[in-house]
Amino acid sequence: GQEPYFVWLVDLFLETTFQTECGQLLDSICANCELEELTTDRWTLLVKYKTAFYSFYLPVALSMIVVGERDRATYDTAREVLLLMGVYFQAQDDYLDAFACPEELGKVGTDIADKKCSWLFAHAYHEMSTPEAKTYLDKHYGKCEVGSEEEQKIKDLYKELGLQELFRKYEADVQVSLMEYRQKIEAAGLPWSIFERFFALIHKRRK
């Protein structure tokens, strides 16, 4: 606690804790929402606060504080890129919850049974759905058991509606967007290799 930047570290931890708690609250509220309310905008807001700040921005910002970076614009630039990665990371989690092998993932996916505002559901229900698919989701999403026929049918619907292809396009778009930030990151005096390494760790992960 004797270092001059100690108070900055404490402030960052407090800010990030509050942001993460807000994200957790938004996630919890979804249990009481109608399916119509589980939109892609809600999902993006939720995951930014629930996942992206503490998983991606926090560790880099801590390092920046320790090495003496004090320019607010530099933090803003880093945050912008790291939140993009954090949101992508959660989209991956949502995708793997439905489609990854439980043995490889290390857990059994429960998003469908738990009525989560997931990347897959939000896009399926609001952007890619058919009347028949929406009727089935209304009847069974968040109301079926893990491992049930109804849950499997929803996963099959995701495939039929083209969610796997949509996710692959989203993944490619994120990579392109990230690469476009390189010049901005380097102009801010930050080492691009850090951001590149972060992305390499999560890009097309399978668990």
Side-chain angles (χ1 to χ4, degrees), residues 126-160:
H126 293 284
E127 298 176 11
M128 310 288 287
S129 198
T130 63
E132 295 79 12
K134 185 169 283 191
T135 296
Y136 195 87
L137 290 169
D138 283 333
K139 185 175 181 180
H140 296 291
Y141 193 79
K143 301 171 186 175
C144 58
E145 298 294 328
V146 173
S148 65
E149 291 183 11
E150 292 81 6
E151 182 195 50
Q152 184 57 50
K153 173 62 176 175
I154 291 174
K155 293 179 182 181
D156 292 341
L157 277 177
Y158 287 162
K159 294 178 182 178
E160 293 167 14

Side-chain angles (χ1 to χ4, degrees), residues 22-190:
C22 288
Q24 293 285 3
L25 178 60
L26 287 168
D27 191 26
S28 299
I29 289 172
C30 289
N32 298 314
C33 289
E34 299 296 330
L35 296 187
E36 287 284 351
E37 299 175 280
L38 305 184
T39 63
T40 53
D41 285 343
R42 179 185 287 269
W43 175 84
T44 302
L45 180 66
L46 187 162
V47 303
K48 182 171 74 171
Y49 284 90
K50 178 186 175 185
T51 302
F53 277 108
Y54 91 88
S55 295
F56 287 83
Y57 176 65
L58 176 63
V60 174
L62 288 172
S63 301
M64 290 168 65
I65 290 172
V66 171
V67 300
E69 181 60 61
R70 295 294 181 266
D71 182 59
R72 181 181 293 274
T74 303
Y75 283 90
D76 291 343
T77 299
R79 186 187 305 109
E80 193 174 346
V81 181
L82 293 163
L83 292 185
L84 173 67
M85 288 192 220
V87 170
Y88 165 58
F89 181 84
Q90 186 60 54
Q92 289 178 308
D93 261 11
D94 293 355
Y95 182 88
L96 293 170
D97 185 273
F99 295 123
C101 173
E103 291 76 19
E104 186 173 14
L105 187 59
K107 64 177 183 177
V108 176
T110 62
D111 283 0
I112 293 171
D114 291 342
K115 192 186 165 187
K116 289 294 186 178
C117 181
S118 77
W119 187 94
L120 290 168
F121 174 80
H123 283 86
Y125 194 85
H126 293 284
E127 298 176 11
M128 310 288 287
S129 198
T130 63
E132 295 79 12
K134 185 169 283 191
T135 296
Y136 195 87
L137 290 169
D138 283 333
K139 185 175 181 180
H140 296 291
Y141 193 79
K143 301 171 186 175
C144 58
E145 298 294 328
V146 173
S148 65
E149 291 183 11
E150 292 81 6
E151 182 195 50
Q152 184 57 50
K153 173 62 176 175
I154 291 174
K155 293 179 182 181
D156 292 341
L157 277 177
Y158 287 162
K159 294 178 182 178
E160 293 167 14
L161 295 172
L163 268 297
Q164 290 177 309
E165 293 79 8
L166 183 66
F167 182 79
R168 284 193 285 270
K169 181 182 183 303
Y170 165 72
E171 193 165 48
D173 289 345
V174 168
Q175 186 173 17
V176 170
S177 296
L178 186 66
M179 293 305 114
E180 290 174 349
Y181 275 108
R182 178 168 187 166
Q183 186 175 356
K184 190 173 181 180
I185 288 290
E186 292 177 339
L190 296 169

